[in-house]
Amino acid sequence: LIMSKGTVVLAYSGGLDTSCILVWLKEQGYDVIAFLANIGQDEDFEAARKKAESLGAKKVFIEDLRSEFVEDFIWPSVQANAVYEDRYLLGTAVARPCIARQQVEIARKEGANFVSHGATGKGNDQIRFELTCYALYPEVKIIAPWRIPEFYNRFRGRTDLMEYAQKHGIPVPVTPKAPWSMDANLMHISYESGILENPKSRAPADLYLMTKNPEDSPNTPDDLEIEFKNVFVGSPCLSLSGKHGVGRIDIVENRFIGMKSRGIYETPGGTILLKAHLDIETFTMDKEVRRIKQGLGIKFSELIYNGFWYSPECEFVQHCINKSQENVEGKVQLSVFKGQVYILGRESSKSLYNEELVSMDVQGDYDPCDASGFIRINAVRLREHHRLQGFSSTKQ
């Protein structure tokens, strides 16, 4: 009888990789608890449960995390206008701390000293999962098979995994695997690796699952209204944006680990929320507060991307962003059409927009003569700079 090395909670997807990892962990002498997170992906969770049980998982937890994913992770990202490197809306990055938080909770409840995942040794996800685990369960030990030489030397590709699966009675996929990897949740889908690793190769037309090709989208726009009250109140933006091909990007980004990677992302609803939130925020927020908040939003995006959701600096930045949102409420009217989002109008009881003050037809509580002094004061620095420049050039 082999003594157990301990209990490990495996972040399990039901796919080939994590099924092989489950059996491999058992071979190494671990008791395995399989954990599946429902964050809105299209998955047969009961089939995955049965598969994990048939492969020898001691227990299987299927956790519906959709509500907390939205409330605790997506909404703070919307409030921050979180975008990494000007384009990526962080759909995968923001899901990882949500999944890892629950994994750690199960590990603590079940008295498991180990957690494991199927993230590769070259990517960002290993960092995101593990930093969350260490932050919330400091004593935990992590088993990352794709960083263990005995594992990655044994499984050099999909063929090795398939052979191992057949040998150990692991059901193998019947349909051919798409020549790229995919990660989905209710916010977005990401596609990378495989044929997409050549940054010049165009994505096949059948790659996109969440959005229609803008060329094939309806020839008439759809109008909608989004209401914010601290965060987002409601709108059918996801289905409408997907129908109109909104939210597709194809980018090369900088991974935290130091290499560039090519990723294709669909974030239909998130793209509309970003555009609408930016609009209502500018409408209701003081100019200088917004300037500071903009910088905090960039910092927050980097912290999410790099895996530092549960860091003291991220907590501080979130606190400041939350404070900035106290008066960010109102309604934004917009239109979606052929891959684009068009803002049509906005309204808010907290608006800082003063129609009389800004009107060209009404003087309001403003004396145009004051602008002369304002301009002259701002010109002092420019005059002095160019005076010095002129002085320097005459000396030469």
Side-chain angles (χ1 to χ4, degrees):
L1 198 70
I2 300 170
M3 283 283 290
S4 170
K5 289 182 179 176
T7 301
V8 55
V9 179
L10 170 66
Y12 181 69
S13 69
L16 179 64
D17 284 38
T18 53
S19 294
C20 289
I21 287 171
L22 194 161
V23 174
W24 182 83
L25 286 168
K26 283 180 59 62
E27 279 186 335
Q28 307 309 304
Y30 294 97
D31 293 325
V32 182
I33 295 172
F35 155 59
L36 289 86
N38 176 0
I39 49 172
Q41 71 272 37
D42 184 16
E43 183 73 64
D44 186 338
F45 290 101
E46 278 313 306
R49 178 197 294 279
K50 287 174 184 166
K51 188 174 183 180
E53 287 170 345
S54 73
L55 297 177
K58 185 170 81 166
K59 285 185 181 178
V60 180
F61 287 87
I62 298 174
E63 304 286 316
D64 187 347
L65 305 181
R66 288 173 294 181
S67 291
E68 56 197 82
F69 179 38
V70 171
E71 291 165 18
D72 297 347
F73 298 91
I74 294 178
W75 292 155
S77 303
V78 171
Q79 286 183 306
N81 304 321
V83 182
Y84 179 70
E85 293 187 337
D86 303 316
R87 295 184 288 179
Y88 171 40
L89 271 63
L90 297 159
T92 294
V94 82
R96 296 316 188 214
C98 177
I99 296 167
R101 179 175 76 175
Q102 190 64 26
Q103 185 178 13
V104 159
E105 196 173 306
I106 291 168
R108 281 186 176 282
K109 278 183 188 169
E110 296 296 316
N113 296 322
F114 302 88
V115 295
S116 183
H117 59 76
T120 73
K122 284 188 176 182
N124 294 308
D125 282 341
Q126 57 179 340
I127 305 166
R128 295 163 181 161
F129 276 122
E130 294 181 30
L131 288 181
T132 298
C133 291
Y134 285 131
L136 302 181
Y137 187 1
E139 317 83 54
V140 77
K141 297 178 183 69
I142 292 170
I143 303 169
W146 289 114
R147 296 202 307 265
I148 299 172
E150 305 94 274
F151 186 90
Y152 67 69
N153 287 327
R154 182 175 180 181
F155 302 107
R156 292 184 174 274
R158 190 169 171 80
T159 306
D160 292 341
L161 288 167
M162 294 282 272
E163 284 175 8
Y164 181 81
Q166 284 162 347
K167 183 181 170 185
H168 290 85
I170 300 168
V172 295
V174 180
T175 52
K177 185 182 183 291
W180 52 76
S181 71
M182 190 180 90
D183 178 75
N185 59 50
L186 58 80
M187 181 181 176
H188 94 149
I189 303 181
S190 69
Y191 311 88
E192 62 179 17
S193 72
I195 62 169
L196 303 177
E197 285 177 354
N198 180 347
K200 191 180 175 183
S201 295
R202 293 189 181 188
D206 63 347
L207 173 138
Y208 297 97
L209 300 177
M210 253 183 157
T211 58
K212 266 194 174 181
N213 187 330
E215 291 176 13
D216 304 324
S217 64
N219 290 321
T220 52
D222 274 310
D223 294 352
L224 61 153
E225 181 174 84
I226 295 179
E227 182 177 4
F228 294 92
K229 193 172 175 72
N230 294 129
V231 283
F232 162 65
V233 176
S235 163
C237 59
L238 181 60
S239 57
L240 285 179
S241 48
K243 170 180 154 186
H244 284 276
V246 168
R248 292 183 174 189
I249 60 166
D250 182 331
I251 63 172
V252 171
E253 70 201 58
N254 289 296
R255 284 183 182 167
F256 187 32
I257 210 158
M259 60 187 82
K260 291 185 187 290
S261 66
R262 191 260 189 104
I264 296 175
Y265 302 99
E266 295 179 279
T267 318
T271 300
I272 287 186
L273 286 176
L274 173 66
K275 304 274 189 188
H277 187 262
L278 276 167
D279 192 81
I280 201 68
E281 191 173 79
T282 308
F283 194 48
T284 55
M285 188 181 286
D286 174 78
K287 172 189 168 184
E288 293 303 321
V289 172
R290 187 176 183 278
R291 190 194 300 254
I292 294 167
K293 190 260 178 183
Q294 209 170 1
L296 291 172
I298 292 169
K299 182 63 182 173
F300 185 56
S301 305
E302 291 169 354
L303 291 170
I304 295 171
Y305 187 87
N306 294 341
F308 289 94
W309 186 281
Y310 287 104
S311 64
E313 65 271 31
C314 193
E315 185 181 344
F316 171 74
V317 169
Q318 270 194 269
H319 178 76
C320 297
I321 290 171
N322 288 341
K323 177 68 179 171
S324 78
Q325 299 296 294
E326 287 177 347
N327 292 320
V328 179
E329 59 180 70
K331 297 176 182 178
V332 180
Q333 296 81 37
L334 48 85
S335 172
V336 284
F337 184 58
K338 298 288 183 187
Q340 297 298 317
V341 181
Y342 300 97
I343 303 293
L344 304 175
R346 75 286 293 157
E347 58 188 292
S348 172
S349 60
K350 303 276 182 80
S351 164
L352 292 175
Y353 181 87
N354 184 331
E355 192 173 346
E356 184 182 274
L357 181 63
V358 79
S359 173
M360 295 295 186
D361 301 320
V362 182
Q363 188 166 315
D365 187 20
Y366 176 79
D367 184 346
C369 297
D370 292 343
S372 302
F374 177 79
I375 295 165
R376 280 197 296 272
I377 291 294
N378 276 281
V380 169
R381 178 176 59 89
L382 306 183
R383 281 173 156 166
E384 287 303 293
H385 172 74
H386 287 282
R387 182 182 64 77
L388 181 61
Q389 295 290 91
F391 179 69
S392 299
S393 61
T394 56
K395 282 184 75 175
Q396 291 171 2

